[in-house]
């Protein structure tokens, strides 16, 4: 890929700590290049104590837009001029556009998760979901599913109070949200499997094969749709594959959150297949 950088090249990027494993520079650059947009997308490693200065620097340097990853997604919010409704509910921001020094924050993780899931299951409405985990990414997943008209969303977490907090915070999302979202303990997962269509792991369990399993994965049924938002084939996904379930790892969510960010920054239709190829090529 040839880069033609000149005095008018726009700069985009991602801030995180660490950031060197991020796949976003590769697939965002592929999208700019494919559409002939004169822009680059760079990784910026920002220590937590430097976040405020980094955001001020982004304004001063007229960086056009940026993504935010761990551990800054929540902490960045007070430094922005405006945030979307998704950011207010989810409590985390992963995309910012710089409009002549006015920073507006979005959360495209919820959209990313939903678009990814629709590749497996086009109609999400009226389905029953078990979401394991109640951290930042779980909030985005539950927000998206609630908006899509889920019939039931069980949120199972080691620390049940975090799941209860999501249910409380999302009560006002629609008229029935309070009946839809049910916090439960991790110990209840196995007994709930018969009552759900889709199982989603949003915890960090499965990053390593030797992690203690979240539940007995052999209890999955072949009709379950199983999603793990970790970017690899985790033991949960291997068990789902063995059972013959439809399954998906975290790459589609990553792809579509990035595609949405690209659209917010440029106003252009993102070249999703170009981005997917850049993301998945070795
Ligand atoms: N595909 C994507 O685009 C995408 C986007 C965002 C994140 N992710 C991935 O999602 C994962 C979670 O990210 P996050 O930002 O939501 O993290 P987070 O806010 O730190 O939440 C971590 C979750 O994992 C649970 N957990 C951690 N250790 C556990 C253990 N030993 N046993 C049971 N539960 C445990 C936590 O439970 P407690 O509340 O009890 O501590 C919490 O629910 C990461 O692996 C990240 O890479 C993927």
């Amino acid at each position: 890929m040839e880069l033609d950088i000149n005095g008018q090249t726009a700069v985009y990027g991602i801030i995180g700590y660490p950031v060197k494993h991020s796949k976003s520079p590769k697939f965002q650059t592929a999208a700019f290049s494919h559409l002939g947009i004169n822009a680059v997308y760079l990784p910026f490693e920002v220590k937590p104590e430097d976040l405020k200065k980094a955001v001020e620097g982004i304004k001063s340097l007229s960086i056009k837009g940026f993504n935010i990853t761990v551990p800054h997604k929540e902490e960045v919010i007070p430094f922005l001029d405006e945030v979307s409704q998704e950011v207010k509910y989810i409590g985390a921001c992963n995309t910012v556009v710089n409009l002549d020094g006015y920073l507006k924050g979005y959360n495209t993780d919820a959209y990313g998760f939903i678009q990814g899931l629709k590749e497996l299951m086009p109609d999400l409405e009226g389905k029953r979901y078990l979401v394991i985990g109640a951290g930042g990414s779980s909030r985005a997943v539950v927000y998206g599913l609630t908006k899509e008209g889920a019939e039931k969303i069980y949120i199972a977490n080691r620390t049940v109070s975090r799941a209860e907090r999501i249910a409380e915070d999302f009560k006002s999302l629609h008229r029935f949200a309070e009946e839809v979202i049910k916090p439960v303990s991790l110990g209840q997962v196995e007994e709930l499997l018969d009552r759900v269509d889709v199982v989603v792991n949003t915890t960090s369990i499965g990053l390593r094969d030797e992690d203690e399993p979240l539940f007995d994965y052999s209890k999955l049924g072949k009709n379950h749709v199983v999603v793990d938002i970790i970017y690899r084939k985790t033991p949960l996904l291997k068990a789902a594959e063995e059972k013959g379930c439809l399954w998906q790892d975290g790459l589609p969510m990553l792809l579509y959150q990035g595609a949405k960010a690209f659209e917010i920054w440029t106003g252009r239709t993102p070249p999703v297949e170009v981005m997917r190829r850049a993301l998945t090529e070795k």
Side-chain angles (χ1 to χ4, degrees), residues 97-135:
V97 62
N98 181 0
L99 305 161
D100 290 329
Y102 184 86
L103 300 185
K104 177 155 186 198
Y106 297 84
N107 184 306
T108 68
D109 281 334
Y111 171 88
F113 174 76
I114 295 297
Q115 284 305 112
L117 182 56
K118 282 182 176 171
E119 288 190 347
L120 281 187
M121 220 175 77
D123 190 7
L124 309 187
E125 199 180 333
K127 301 284 192 306
R128 290 157 298 158
Y129 300 84
L130 169 64
V131 177
I132 309 178

Side-chain angles (χ1 to χ4, degrees), residues 24-33 41 67 258-259 261-262 265 275:
S24 297
K26 194 157 177 225
F27 76 90
Q28 293 291 2
T29 301
F32 286 126
S33 168
Y41 182 106
N67 285 128
F262 183 90
W265 295 326
M275 297 171 91

Side-chain angles (χ1 to χ4, degrees), residues 16-29:
Y17 188 77
V19 80
K20 55 175 173 285
H21 302 296
S22 172
K23 297 172 193 293
S24 297
K26 194 157 177 225
F27 76 90
Q28 293 291 2
T29 301

Side-chain angles (χ1 to χ4, degrees), residues 74 90 132-141 155 157 162-163 166 202-203:
E74 289 90 16
I90 297 166
I132 309 178
S137 56
S138 169
R139 293 181 71 93
V141 165
I155 310 173
N157 199 43
R162 289 183 89 189
I166 302 180
T202 72
T203 74

